[in-house]
Amino acid sequence: TDAEADVSSSEKRSRPVRVLHLRDSPWVDGPGRTILETAARIDRSRVDYQVGAFVSDRTAPHPLVDALRKRGLPVHAIEDQRGVGRGMVSTFVDLLDSQQIDILHPSEFRSNVLGLLCRRRRPVKLVSTAHGWIGNDVRGRAYIFADRVLLCRFDRVILVSHAMRRRLPS
């Protein structure tokens, strides 16, 4: 009903915006450092910033998860089931629901695909950061082409350089 929608909207306004940043890579490199520093410095009264990290082996060290946990920051170690199948989508949809996520922020090709598939099942805003692409071979160039097509379907895309602005269509 309209009354329920009004309560839901006012409830969302009274709490921080909930963001889940997905990271397919374990490295605390340029993008990983940005995620780590954003999580550490963001105004928690305004933004509940969480990180979902794909983890292949829960017993092995994972530099990004370890760094986030060391700082006491919210991180979800998500079992990497490889690919973008139904199991991975269901895992992320369950996380969106349990954490009441408002904005999903994938940051690589595979997490971008998963983000779009999740949005088919849940109304969530999609934001991605385009850090850069490497197309040294046919496979790399195919990923670049596909990612450019995917990003056109996102609500917002953050570009980290003027070079990326030239490479991504408006």
Side-chain angles (χ1 to χ4, degrees), residues 5-155:
D6 288 342
V7 168
S8 177
S9 293
S10 66
E11 182 180 298
K12 280 187 179 181
R13 283 191 296 271
S14 66
R15 67 167 171 76
V17 173
R18 294 185 178 143
V19 177
L20 177 63
H21 197 134
L22 299 181
R23 181 73 171 144
D24 192 359
S25 167
W27 310 119
V28 184
D29 52 2
R33 264 193 318 277
T34 300
I35 291 168
L36 180 63
E37 295 306 322
T38 299
R41 289 178 169 76
I42 203 153
D43 180 350
R44 296 216 168 276
S45 69
R46 297 179 63 201
V47 180
D48 175 3
Y49 186 83
Q50 304 173 37
V51 178
F54 296 42
V55 176
S56 300
D57 178 355
R58 291 184 185 273
T59 63
H62 189 286
L64 182 60
V65 170
D66 297 344
L68 287 158
R69 286 183 175 154
K70 184 176 180 180
R71 292 189 184 194
L73 299 168
V75 60
H76 305 275
I78 300 160
E79 181 183 350
D80 190 350
Q81 300 169 21
R82 302 285 177 213
V84 293
R86 203 173 289 169
M88 286 293 284
V89 174
S90 292
T91 296
F92 285 116
V93 168
D94 290 347
L95 188 55
L96 294 175
D97 291 346
S98 69
Q99 299 301 308
Q100 299 178 332
I101 298 299
D102 303 304
I103 299 171
L104 183 58
H105 188 152
S107 54
E108 297 95 5
F109 174 73
R110 183 165 65 129
S111 61
N112 286 341
V113 172
L114 285 164
L116 284 168
L117 292 172
C118 288
R119 185 163 67 180
R120 293 182 76 180
R121 293 180 51 191
R122 292 297 180 274
V124 63
K125 296 287 185 187
L126 284 176
V127 174
S128 187
T129 301
H131 296 277
W133 293 304
I134 300 172
N136 294 336
D137 57 17
V138 172
R139 183 178 179 179
R141 289 188 293 279
Y143 277 124
I144 290 168
F145 174 80
D147 208 25
R148 288 175 66 196
V149 171
L150 292 176
L151 291 174
C152 290
R153 291 171 170 74
F154 276 61
D155 297 296

